[in-house]
Amino acid sequence: MTQTPEALTTEQFKQAIIDKGQYYHIYHPFHVMMYEGRATQQQIQAWVANRYYYQINIPLKDAAIMANCPDQRVRQEWIQRMIDQDGEYPDGGGREAWLRLAEAVGLSREQVISEELVLPGVRFAVDAYVNFARRASWREAASSSLTELFAPKIHQSRLESWPQHYPWIDDKGYEYFRSRLSQARRDVEHGLTITLNSFTTHEQQERMLEILQFKLDILWSILDALTLAYVHNEVPYHSVTSKRVWHKGLFK
């Protein structure tokens, strides 16, 4: 009879989560290129325009978690994430801050909002994440947000390196990164508490770590798509047309 492996202690489980940081997209070559000042204006614009699709789907993901969560206290805390991204009328929150970043790198907000620059690989990756949050248990979906554990480092790296390497970017565009330094730390504290208290058996902990890896895969895949299109110049359908023929999300 096979013996069931023992569950990790709380500290061991927390460390296993932290160790997943080695796969965070801060280490992706595309991000390293931006950090080191080797990115062109077009490449930065492409990243901002495509990342916008991820940004606007964050509150949809959080709404899905709340819809599946019967715990009032959790919902009362989790809703702040939606407010951070969507803002409170008439403030546009993180979405508006991201559009200011888009303008700062030379894009028009109309172009970004239209999603015409969103690559299929990016759209599919982000949609997969939102659909996961809709179908999974609220605890599993909440734990997937723990990539925020590594987010302050990536935001700080942009604040430190971009003004130095890309002086053409208006400083007003960096407000999103500044705001997320404190917001991400707050969200991590809440999400980590839920995760450590919810996954207590070996099987549950292994599943949670797989879910976290799935989220890391999402973030990495976004940069893979950008690399193919804007580093190797192989945008979708490049072999048959120079037009942007890919779909624009009509089937969400």
Side-chain angles (χ1 to χ4, degrees):
M1 182 175 181
T2 304
Q3 186 176 1
T4 303
E6 291 186 5
L8 299 174
T9 66
T10 299
E11 285 305 311
Q12 289 172 333
F13 187 31
K14 181 177 179 180
Q15 188 59 53
I17 293 170
I18 293 172
D19 288 345
K20 282 291 186 180
Q22 64 185 305
Y23 306 114
Y24 194 48
H25 63 158
I26 193 172
Y27 303 112
H28 192 288
F30 196 95
H31 187 273
V32 173
M33 177 183 69
M34 292 193 295
Y35 173 76
E36 293 181 346
R38 295 183 286 110
T40 66
Q41 182 172 4
Q42 183 193 40
Q43 288 167 338
I44 289 179
Q45 288 177 338
W47 178 78
V48 171
N50 278 268
R51 179 78 180 195
Y52 173 78
Y53 188 68
Y54 176 79
Q55 299 301 137
I56 63 173
N57 275 279
I58 290 175
L60 300 185
K61 175 267 298 183
D62 290 325
I65 292 173
M66 291 179 60
N68 291 330
C69 178
D71 190 318
Q72 179 187 15
R73 292 183 62 183
V74 171
R75 294 198 306 269
Q76 288 172 334
E77 289 192 60
W78 203 273
I79 196 173
Q80 185 60 49
R81 298 168 186 248
M82 293 178 61
I83 295 173
D84 289 341
Q85 294 297 331
D86 279 341
E88 294 182 277
Y89 185 82
D91 168 45
R95 178 187 295 222
E96 177 61 27
W98 198 268
L99 288 171
R100 289 197 293 270
L101 172 62
E103 291 175 321
V105 302
L107 295 166
S108 72
R109 64 173 50 217
E110 291 76 20
Q111 185 179 30
V112 175
I113 292 172
S114 75
E115 302 177 14
E116 66 179 67
L117 296 177
V118 179
L119 297 166
V122 173
R123 191 180 297 278
F124 292 148
V126 174
D127 288 354
Y129 183 40
V130 175
N131 287 329
F132 165 77
R134 287 172 176 155
R135 296 194 307 270
S137 73
W138 72 268
R139 295 178 190 276
E140 291 181 340
S143 71
S144 71
S145 297
L146 276 181
T147 48
E148 293 166 336
L149 185 64
F150 321 118
K153 182 177 180 180
I154 206 169
H155 294 314
Q156 189 63 50
S157 75
R158 293 164 186 156
L159 290 170
E160 291 175 354
S161 66
W162 282 30
Q164 174 186 353
H165 297 307
Y166 312 111
W168 49 270
I169 299 179
D170 191 326
D171 184 68
K172 295 178 182 177
Y174 296 127
E175 182 54 37
Y176 181 86
F177 303 143
R178 295 190 185 101
S179 66
R180 287 305 297 167
L181 287 175
S182 59
Q183 291 173 356
R185 292 188 179 98
R186 178 207 63 211
D187 292 346
V188 162
E189 184 177 347
H190 183 215
L192 196 56
T193 297
I194 291 172
T195 299
L196 295 177
N197 291 336
S198 299
F199 302 91
T200 57
T201 69
H202 173 79
E203 183 179 8
Q204 291 171 343
Q205 291 170 343
E206 284 295 302
R207 177 165 173 76
M208 182 271 150
L209 292 172
E210 277 295 297
I211 289 170
L212 185 56
Q213 185 62 57
F214 163 72
K215 173 63 180 305
L216 291 164
D217 292 349
I218 295 293
L219 297 173
W220 198 270
S221 295
I222 289 172
L223 294 184
D224 280 348
L226 283 163
T227 298
L228 191 64
Y230 291 97
V231 176
H232 300 299
N233 298 315
E234 295 185 351
V235 295
Y237 304 103
H238 72 280
S239 61
V240 294
T241 181
S242 60
K243 298 178 181 179
R244 298 193 190 108
V245 297
W246 51 91
H247 79 287
K248 298 179 176 62
L250 300 178
F251 306 104
K252 280 186 72 173

